[in-house]
Amino acid sequence: MSNWYKLDTQEVLQQLSSDATFGLSAAEASRRLEKYGFNELIEQGQRSPWQILWEQLTATLVIILIVAAVVSGLLGDYKDAVGIVAIVVLIAVLGFSQEYQAQKAIATLKKLSVPNVKVLRNGNSEEISARYLVPGDIVQLEAEDIVPADCRVLESVGLRIQETTLTGVSEPTDKDPHTLSQADLQLADRHNMVYMGTIVTYGRGQAVVTETGMKTEMGRIALMVHAVEPEPTRLQKRLDELGKGLAVASLVLVAVILALGMLRGEDWKIMLLTSITLVVAALPEGLPAVVTIALALGARQMLKRRALIRNLPAVETLGSVTVICSGKTGTLTENRMTVTVLDVAGQRIDLTTRMRASVGERSQERPFLLCQPPAISLLLAGSTLCNNALLEADTDEPRYFRAVGDPTEGALVMAAAHQGLWKADLEYLIPRVAEVPYDSRRQCMTTIHKFPTIPSKIPCALETVWHWSEKIGGMSYIVFTKGTVNSLLDICSHIWINGQAKPLTEIWHRHISVTYSQLAKNGLRVMGAAFRPLQSAEEWEDVEQNLIFIGMVGMNDPARPEVRDAVLTCKRAGIRPVMITGDHPLTARFIAREVGIATDNRIFTSEELSKLNTEELRCTLDDVSVYARVSSKHKFEIVETLQQQGHIVAMTGDGINDAPALKTADIGVAMGIRGTDVAKEAADMVLLDDNFATLVAAVKEGRVIYDNIRKFIKYLLSSNVGELWVMLLAPFLGMPLPLLPLQILWINLTTDGLPALALGVEPAERDTMNRPPHPPNENIFSRGMGRDIIWIGLLMGFVSLGTGYWYWKTGNSAWQTILFTTLTLSQMGNALAIRSERDSLFKIGLLSNKPLLGAVTLTLGLQIAVLYVPFFQKLFNTAPLSAVDLAICLGISSVVFWCVELEKWVLRRSQTQTKKLHLLSETKQDNDVQLRQRASGSAFASPRVRLCNSSKPHYRASSLRLHLRLKASGYKRK
């Protein structure tokens, strides 16, 4: 049942067969436990090590390699078989290690603890594990308790619940037992319900359990997460397509070679061995290993940037992201309420300093706010004294304090401490003697304090109040009240102006209301503070009346300072940032505009989204970038709709309600600090610092990795195509077998191994985050890569075969060694040349990728060893070359390098010409616009500027009227 909030408390108790004063009997509780089961979530089991290993071994390319190894072994070519098996083992070990370690890392992050709860059984209060709760149990809730199940509130004394993990709303929600009659209310608006996993931040209350275990809202979301089947990443799909294509090409190649050989009357065993050799030459055996290693290295780099990758192929998917759907609290903001505005009697002070009080570093200079009008200090002192939050030393940073308690009250205490008004000092001088707790109906809290009788013990913040009270007969107690501005105005009769209590006239009342509205529109949470002097304890009755209004405090969760730059980077990179939050629309709009996500006021809520059909939702997603008060269902729908439009979506989240959308998104990003276990398990990546800027840095790393994957695929395939042309064309020239199977395997292991791996750590190119993401469905051979593979491979084959053919025709017995060496060195030149798609090697520098330089040097050294070490000469059937022959091999092999560099020069030149033509076109258009404006006599000022100028007299008139009203009410400006 989901409509408990619509029922009266007595109806709820009646339907649950429970009693608010007696609870359940032990026998009835046992019976219900058997019926409903334990109050716990059924967890989705993790993948076993065997499942992870099986996934590594069933990739298409790996299967092809296994088949090639088996066939080579059956034909007696054990060296090739052993070499290929070694590569397969390397691929499986690397992939298994990364994913298994990531799974273990998540397991260590997950700390499950079952809370204990005070429950009413047999008329007595007892403490039991929340695991044994059943529907109908009566539970007691107090500050800092974790709500153990879904419950209907029966009694509330200032009860506030932090529901961020479930609803996305950053501010605690006030709870009361009053029945709600509206239909289909969102979870955040059900003020008489509390839900499993949320936290009590203030007050106390009594509630009856309505749902437990998988029937709770948390359980319902967990079921949604389990129902979502994970999709393979783009890289997995591309590599699978590549593997299938290579498999088909290999089979066709084997068939053609066998057919031609049989027609010439060759022995079928020899032809089959030759065909397998060509398959080995064509297949990039090292590709899966290099891709896996590159992704693992990328995951390690991201971990250094505080991003933990759970799913290895997700590293590359990050680089293809076109939309980032981000939450607000903690990701775009700092997740701490901070006082930013103080307003007293028409004077406003904006605070931009960091509100964190340093232990042992109290400045010798007087704090800034204490140099301001005394009403500012009074406002902070009153907000701190009428407050239940505490300051305690931060365990992580012993030199700092942190606030414990309600986030809003903690912000007030921090702001006062930052200005030298320490709560402990104030309470020592002005001790609290009574309290009227916060109530959601009154929307305010009041405390009564004993006022010092000795003038020297009066805090400086209250000196003006003491001087004023002496004129009206003195005071023994002082009352401070804080709450919503509207509730305070209803019980205030005066306003504090220049050290005096003046009547709260209609003009002042209107002025305060207008100021409050302005602050609220800026996304601030606004609270008011008031006080009242008391001469005796007899006046404690009905203390919340005839108060003196001091001023207003504006608070917000400030945006992270680095987020705005990260958002701008996203936009330059063609990535659209979207905010999806459960917070209030005004707060969401303010933060979205502050960080640059939105420039207009368009914002949608769940209620508005519910009224849209599929086509209207698609149009809305194209135009709107801010969504507030969004339910988990609509988060899920937004992500799905964006994916249907062809976007690659990254979704951030920390709460239980985010889990379905995290699992559906192409990249689910959970928060490591605030994230729930459910969110972390549903995500592909965990941000260990909960920072949006970290996600953008990870996107850049993903783009670099995808670019590098393309580079070494281009390198591997062009090199293998070169080998293939050598093997295919040599018989047509009448030459013997140009390369032996072991020589081909050597080339593949050396040139396709370390150099290709080093290409995987190539630094980012200049325009990595200044270009839009590549189309999500682009073929891996797109953007000219297929063309380059063919012509580079053809050139490499012709250069190597041509050199070997010339030496063979001249009768040089070392012709096969020369061909072998030229082909190896050509691949090294190819590796150096394709480091950048546009820039020359001489511009990016040889030392900018030291691993590649080291790999090329090592490969050259190994090739020299194959030529001149007797053991390797015998193994690979090579002959030592003279210095002249070696120099010829080196010079001819460099042709590939120079041709690739020439192609890049032509591309750069054509791009420069295109940019010049584009700039000339834009300049001509601008000149045409200026000529039209001059012809029409229009000014160059924009309509916005003209509007501001035209409204200036009206603004001055309004200011003058407000000044006259304030003057009439007795206010004097200092």
Side-chain angles (χ1 to χ4, degrees):
M1 186 174 178
S2 60
N3 62 344
W4 294 106
Y5 64 92
K6 297 180 183 178
L7 303 179
D8 181 78
T9 54
Q10 292 303 318
E11 291 179 295
V12 174
L13 291 170
Q14 185 177 356
Q15 289 202 19
L16 293 170
S17 300
S18 185
D19 189 308
T21 58
F22 183 81
L24 299 176
S25 65
E28 178 63 17
S30 298
R31 189 187 68 79
R32 295 190 183 190
L33 187 62
E34 291 182 6
K35 178 181 178 181
Y36 296 106
F38 290 111
N39 179 35
E40 60 187 3
L41 300 183
I42 301 173
E43 296 181 40
Q44 183 83 345
Q46 292 184 327
R47 290 180 300 167
S48 69
W50 291 111
Q51 287 177 311
I52 298 174
L53 183 61
W54 179 252
E55 289 175 4
Q56 308 303 317
L57 295 174
T58 51
T60 305
L61 277 174
V62 176
I63 291 174
I64 295 173
L65 292 178
I66 294 173
V67 172
V70 171
V71 174
S72 297
L74 292 175
L75 294 175
D77 193 358
Y78 299 112
K79 293 179 181 178
D80 286 0
V82 171
I84 296 173
V85 168
I87 292 173
V88 171
V89 171
L90 178 62
I91 294 167
V93 168
L94 287 171
F96 173 84
S97 174
Q98 174 65 27
E99 295 203 21
Y100 185 68
Q101 290 299 324
Q103 187 166 285
K104 285 182 64 178
I106 292 299
T108 59
L109 287 175
K110 182 180 178 183
K111 297 178 180 179
L112 293 175
S113 58
V114 179
N116 288 334
V117 60
K118 292 179 181 177
V119 62
L120 201 60
R121 294 272 177 92
N122 295 319
N124 298 317
S125 178
E126 55 184 84
E127 189 169 315
I128 65 171
S129 171
R131 190 166 180 261
Y132 299 104
L133 281 181
V134 294
D137 265 327
I138 307 298
V139 297
Q140 302 292 329
L141 300 174
E142 297 178 355
E144 299 188 8
D145 283 350
I146 298 174
V147 178
D150 289 3
C151 308
R152 172 68 160 82
V153 177
L154 301 177
E155 179 185 319
S156 171
V157 181
L159 184 65
R160 287 185 187 174
I161 306 291
Q162 180 65 270
E163 298 180 325
T164 306
T165 59
L166 193 63
T167 64
V169 178
S170 60
E171 297 175 2
T173 305
D174 299 324
K175 298 295 181 178
D176 62 62
H178 296 294
T179 306
L180 300 171
S181 58
Q182 298 94 323
D184 299 325
L185 284 178
Q186 300 294 328
L187 293 182
D189 299 322
R190 299 178 186 178
H191 300 305
N192 56 14
M193 296 290 296
V194 294
Y195 296 101
M196 175 190 273
T198 57
I199 301 173
V200 181
T201 62
Y202 188 86
R204 56 185 174 83
Q206 186 184 64
V208 58
V209 176
T210 57
E211 308 286 356
T212 59
M214 297 301 290
K215 294 293 184 68
T216 61
E217 289 296 325
M218 183 187 291
R220 184 181 62 81
I221 293 172
L223 286 174
M224 290 176 62
V225 174
H226 296 169
V228 177
E229 291 294 331
E231 286 285 326
T233 66
R234 302 285 169 173
L235 180 61
Q236 288 172 321
K237 292 178 181 177
R238 287 166 178 159
L239 290 180
D240 197 51
E241 291 171 0
L242 176 62
K244 290 176 181 177
L246 291 175
V248 172
S250 301
L251 292 174
V252 171
L253 182 64
V254 170
V256 169
I257 297 299
L258 278 173
L260 291 176
M262 297 299 290
L263 289 174
R264 291 202 311 265
E266 298 285 353
D267 182 30
W268 71 272
K269 290 184 178 180
I270 297 175
M271 293 312 304
L272 184 58
L273 182 59
T274 304
S275 301
I276 292 298
T277 303
L278 288 176
V279 170
V280 173
L283 283 177
E285 299 95 336
L287 178 59
V290 171
V291 169
T292 304
I293 293 171
L295 294 177
L297 292 174
R300 184 179 299 176
Q301 285 296 111
M302 291 183 183
L303 187 58
K304 292 179 181 178
R305 298 192 178 199
R306 311 294 293 162
L308 172 67
I309 298 297
R310 294 196 62 208
N311 182 16
L312 200 56
V315 175
E316 178 272 336
T317 308
L318 276 167
S320 305
V321 165
T322 59
V323 176
I324 297 178
C325 296
S326 173
K328 179 189 74 69
T329 307
T331 309
L332 299 175
T333 65
E334 296 181 0
N335 192 29
R336 59 183 182 88
M337 292 297 290
T338 304
V339 175
T340 56
V341 173
L342 298 171
D343 187 280
V344 291
Q347 182 173 359
R348 183 183 303 177
I349 295 178
D350 292 327
L351 303 177
T352 56
T353 56
R354 189 178 185 186
M355 297 301 182
R356 199 154 69 145
S358 177
V359 178
E361 292 188 2
R362 301 187 186 183
S363 174
Q364 298 300 317
E365 298 180 2
R366 200 177 188 198
F368 168 71
L369 291 185
L370 300 187
C371 301
Q372 302 302 310
I376 295 290
S377 300
L378 177 61
L379 176 62
L380 281 176
S383 301
T384 302
L385 288 167
C386 184
N387 198 308
N388 287 326
L390 300 174
L391 287 180
E392 65 177 28
D394 193 330
T395 54
D396 296 328
E397 297 181 80
R399 296 176 61 252
Y400 292 99
F401 279 142
R402 66 182 182 91
V404 178
D406 184 81
T408 301
E409 292 194 331
L412 295 170
V413 173
M414 276 291 190
H418 188 78
Q419 300 302 325
L421 297 174
W422 294 80
K423 184 181 181 183
D425 297 343
L426 291 174
E427 288 188 333
Y428 175 77
L429 297 172
I430 310 178
R432 183 188 300 188
V433 294
E435 174 185 350
V436 183
Y438 176 87
D439 183 83
S440 59
R441 287 169 293 179
R442 295 174 16 256
Q443 294 187 326
C444 61
M445 169 190 177
T446 298
T447 55
I448 304 174
H449 302 262
K450 179 68 177 175
F451 202 80
T453 55
I454 303 174
S456 61
K457 290 189 176 182
I458 299 173
C460 61
L462 301 181
E463 286 179 354
T464 54
V465 175
W466 176 70
H467 288 300
W468 169 75
S469 68
E470 289 297 303
K471 297 177 183 177
I472 61 172
M475 61 177 172
S476 300
Y477 302 93
I478 186 168
V479 175
F480 287 107
T481 301
K482 78 174 192 309
T484 63
V485 175
N486 292 332
S487 64
L488 281 187
L489 290 177
D490 291 339
I491 55 179
C492 286
S493 59
H494 291 74
I495 183 172
W496 189 252
I497 304 174
N498 293 332
Q500 300 290 327
K502 301 290 184 179
L504 183 61
T505 63
E506 182 181 350
I507 294 175
W508 272 111
H509 194 291
R510 189 182 303 118
H511 174 70
I512 293 171
S513 299
V514 170
T515 303
Y516 165 73
S517 298
Q518 291 174 345
L519 294 175
K521 286 179 181 178
N522 287 333
L524 300 181
R525 182 176 187 185
V526 185
M527 298 192 70
F531 80 99
R532 175 186 173 187
L534 299 179
Q535 295 181 343
S536 66
E538 297 175 357
E539 300 178 75
W540 288 10
E541 293 293 330
D542 297 327
V543 72
E544 290 180 348
Q545 60 182 356
N546 298 322
L547 298 175
I548 303 169
F549 188 84
I550 306 172
M552 292 173 282
V553 180
M555 293 165 282
N556 72 348
D557 182 8
R560 291 179 182 266
E562 65 273 19
V563 166
R564 186 172 182 83
D565 289 339
V567 170
L568 290 175
T569 300
C570 279
K571 292 185 174 181
R572 285 199 306 269
I575 302 170
R576 182 184 171 207
V578 175
M579 177 194 288
I580 304 177
T581 179
D583 260 339
H584 193 279
L586 290 177
T587 305
R589 183 179 67 188
F590 177 78
I591 293 296
R593 297 185 69 174
E594 185 177 358
V595 300
I597 287 179
T599 56
D600 54 26
N601 293 328
R602 295 200 65 186
I603 186 169
F604 265 70
T605 63
S606 266
E607 292 181 2
E608 294 168 313
L609 290 173
S610 300
K611 300 174 184 177
L612 303 178
N613 58 37
T614 305
E615 190 58 37
E616 289 172 335
L617 178 60
R618 290 182 179 179
C619 295
T620 300
L621 292 178
D622 290 335
D623 300 331
V624 180
S625 297
V626 183
Y627 301 87
R629 291 290 190 190
V630 177
S631 65
S632 57
K633 173 188 173 184
H634 285 119
K635 287 184 181 181
F636 184 84
E637 289 180 355
I638 289 171
V639 171
E640 272 198 329
T641 305
L642 286 168
Q643 288 175 323
Q644 290 167 7
Q645 292 176 322
H647 289 290
I648 303 298
V649 182
M651 172 75 190
T652 72
D654 56 2
I656 304 159
N657 61 325
D658 296 324
L662 288 175
K663 197 163 185 180
T664 303
D666 297 279
I667 291 291
V669 184
M671 303 296 109
I673 299 174
R674 297 176 297 107
T676 59
D677 295 327
V678 177
K680 290 172 185 174
E681 289 182 2
D684 301 294
M685 183 172 78
V686 179
L687 296 182
L688 300 181
D689 59 359
D690 292 9
N691 196 336
F692 181 83
T694 301
L695 174 57
V696 177
V699 169
K700 179 181 179 180
E701 192 69 30
R703 287 193 174 189
V704 173
I705 288 170
Y706 179 56
D707 288 346
N708 290 345
I709 287 174
R710 280 177 51 89
K711 288 173 187 176
F712 62 65
I713 287 177
K714 179 179 176 180
Y715 167 70
L716 289 175
L717 293 184
S718 59
S719 298
N720 287 6
V721 167
E723 298 170 27
L724 192 60
W725 282 117
V726 169
M727 298 297 294
L728 280 175
L729 296 179
F732 291 98
L733 297 176
M735 296 174 66
L737 195 66
L739 293 172
L740 299 176
L742 199 58
Q743 291 175 342
I744 294 173
L745 187 61
W746 170 259
I747 294 174
N748 289 349
L749 285 175
T750 55
T751 64
D752 291 6
L754 291 176
L757 180 59
L759 280 173
V761 294
E762 182 68 30
E765 297 199 40
R766 290 178 301 163
D767 63 342
T768 300
M769 293 300 282
N770 291 322
R771 57 169 171 81
H774 299 304
N777 56 349
E778 78 167 3
N779 189 282
I780 203 162
F781 297 112
S782 63
R783 290 182 276 135
M785 195 171 88
R787 178 201 64 212
D788 289 345
I789 288 172
I790 293 173
W791 80 259
I792 293 174
L794 191 61
L795 176 64
M796 195 178 298
F798 281 168
V799 166
S800 304
L801 189 60
T803 306
Y805 180 77
W806 186 79
Y807 273 93
W808 175 69
K809 290 294 287 184
T810 58
N812 192 321
S813 60
W815 69 269
Q816 191 178 54
T817 303
I818 292 172
L819 189 154
F820 174 42
T821 304
T822 304
L823 183 59
T824 302
L825 298 181
S826 295
Q827 294 187 16
M828 293 300 95
N830 185 29
L832 292 172
I834 65 173
R835 282 183 53 192
S836 173
E837 292 186 1
R838 294 291 180 268
D839 292 330
S840 168
L841 174 66
F842 305 105
K843 183 170 184 178
I844 61 178
L846 270 173
L847 297 178
S848 58
N849 187 347
K850 293 178 181 177
L852 179 61
L853 184 61
V856 170
T857 304
L858 178 61
T859 302
L860 291 176
L862 292 173
Q863 186 65 25
I864 296 297
V866 167
L867 298 180
Y868 298 105
V869 175
F871 172 76
F872 290 117
Q873 289 176 354
K874 185 177 180 181
L875 182 64
F876 291 100
N877 197 20
T878 58
L881 300 180
S882 66
V884 175
D885 290 339
L886 186 62
I888 290 173
C889 290
L890 185 61
I892 292 177
S893 64
S894 68
V895 170
V896 175
F897 170 81
W898 293 114
C899 286
V900 175
E901 286 291 343
L902 179 62
E903 184 204 27
K904 291 193 291 185
W905 178 80
V906 172
L907 287 173
R908 289 196 302 272
R909 187 176 179 84
S910 63
Q911 285 182 343
T912 303
Q913 294 296 332
T914 303
K915 286 180 181 179
K916 287 181 178 179
L917 291 173
H918 182 64
L919 289 173
L920 286 172
S921 176
E922 285 186 341
T923 305
K924 185 177 183 302
Q925 290 177 0
D926 292 341
N927 290 336
D928 291 344
V929 170
Q930 291 178 10
L931 289 172
R932 286 196 298 270
Q933 287 177 337
R934 288 171 181 171
S936 61
S938 63
F940 288 102
S942 67
R944 182 178 178 184
V945 173
R946 292 199 298 271
L947 178 61
C948 292
N949 291 337
S950 63
S951 63
K952 195 171 182 180
H954 174 71
Y955 168 76
R956 287 178 172 173
S958 299
S959 300
L960 181 60
R961 284 196 296 271
L962 177 61
H963 174 70
L964 292 176
R965 287 176 180 174
L966 296 179
K967 187 175 182 181
S969 64
Y971 171 70
K972 294 181 181 179
R973 179 179 294 177
K974 277 196 173 184

